[in-house]
Structure formats: structure tokens, C-alpha cells
Amino acid sequence: MAEEVRRALADLFARTEFRDPELLDAHITVTEVRISPDFRHATAFVTRLGRSDVDALLPALKRVAPFLRTSLSKKLRLRTVPEIHFQPDTALDNAMELDEILRSPAVQRDLED
């Protein structure tokens, strides 16, 4: 179910022009959705490819969440449509930081010994 919600949200972000001025030119990617066991809440992890300022868009995403929830109800035809909460996805940033650490001369020196 979480993957279906993720796909639907990604489609809505790709096709919908929001009235909120902060989201007009924002290209948002939904990387993962986690749904609570009772299907009442969904946490969508979002990022902006090539940019790290997704935190600044969280208030705007919170404002459009009711619209997105209504759109999901029409698209997925669920009996219970979860309330959507947004969180920044930091997995890519963490992976890049770890890669940088692993490539550092100090770590390379330790690996050779």
C-alpha cells in the first residue's frame, strides 16, 4: 500500500501546479512512504534532486497536504485515506558523506595495512 501511495503522490507532484507560490517551481521527489498500521497516517519522505533545501518547503507541503489527500482518495479509491506528513529524505546526503569518508586518505591508508 505504501508504494501505491508513493507512486500516486509522485504523479501528483509531477502533474499538479500548486497555487502555493513556494511550490510553483519546486520539483519534488517522493522517495519513500511509510504508513501506520491503522492506515490513518502516512509519512512521505521527500527530496529535491540536486538541491538540499527541501526543509524550506515543508511548511508549504503541510499547507497542500489536505489537497493531496483529497486527490489520493480519488486516485486510489481507498476506504481510509491516510493523513500525509512530510519529512526530508536525508538518505542520499548520508550516503554521499559516507562515501567521502571511505575515500579519505586516512581510511585508505588503514585499509591497505
Side-chain angles (χ1 to χ4, degrees):
M1 183 53 70
E3 181 61 20
E4 291 297 319
V5 172
R6 188 201 66 77
R7 286 182 186 170
L9 278 174
D11 187 48
L12 287 169
F13 279 120
R15 295 183 182 198
T16 304
E17 291 185 15
F18 298 101
R19 293 181 184 168
D20 195 302
E22 291 182 49
L23 296 176
L24 283 180
D25 293 327
H27 298 286
I28 298 168
T29 302
V30 181
T31 56
E32 182 183 0
V33 171
R34 295 180 189 164
I35 298 179
S36 66
D38 62 359
F39 290 101
R40 292 181 189 262
H41 300 277
T43 302
F45 292 89
V46 294
T47 188
R48 294 179 73 183
L49 293 180
R51 297 179 69 169
S52 61
D53 61 346
V54 75
D55 289 331
L57 294 179
L58 292 179
L61 290 171
K62 186 175 182 177
R63 287 192 297 269
V64 299
F67 166 77
L68 292 171
R69 186 177 185 202
T70 301
S71 299
L72 281 178
S73 70
K74 294 174 185 172
K75 195 171 193 87
L76 297 178
R77 297 178 187 247
L78 298 172
R79 188 170 70 185
T80 302
V81 178
E83 183 178 328
I84 306 165
H85 308 280
F86 293 97
Q87 291 290 321
D89 186 359
T90 58
L92 184 59
D93 295 336
N94 294 341
M96 289 174 53
E97 183 179 328
L98 182 60
D99 186 56
E100 186 178 317
I101 291 169
L102 290 174
R103 293 178 187 269
S104 71
V107 172
Q108 290 299 319
R109 183 184 65 239
D110 290 344
L111 290 175
E112 291 174 1
D113 290 340

